[in-house]
Amino acid sequence: MPRYEYRCRSCGTTFEVSRPMAESAAPADCPQGHDDTVKLLSTVAVGGSTGAAGAASPQAGGGGGCCGGGCCA
């Protein structure tokens, strides 16, 4: 279930709420009981690394381009 981050405009508390995507636009009450909250725009960081075997190279056919190299040889 997705987690959404909110900030209370009354007390400044930042908190998270887990709820279905269908309810993502619903208001959320502050844990302190305030109802003047705003949903924050959160960024997602995905980390990882690939070795030379996982990296695309012209010899492997991964040319990039508009579609990942499938039609742009």
Side-chain angles (χ1 to χ4, degrees), residues 8-72:
C8 177
R9 292 181 183 174
S10 298
C11 67
T13 300
T14 300
F15 59 98
E16 291 182 348
V17 176
S18 295
R19 57 172 51 160
M21 290 179 72
E23 298 175 16
S24 66
D29 289 339
C30 167
Q32 306 300 319
H34 307 118
D35 61 359
D36 187 14
T37 60
V38 62
K39 188 167 114 177
L40 302 177
L41 179 61
S42 300
T43 57
V44 176
V46 178
S49 62
T50 59
S57 67
Q59 293 83 13
C66 63
C67 61
C71 64
C72 307

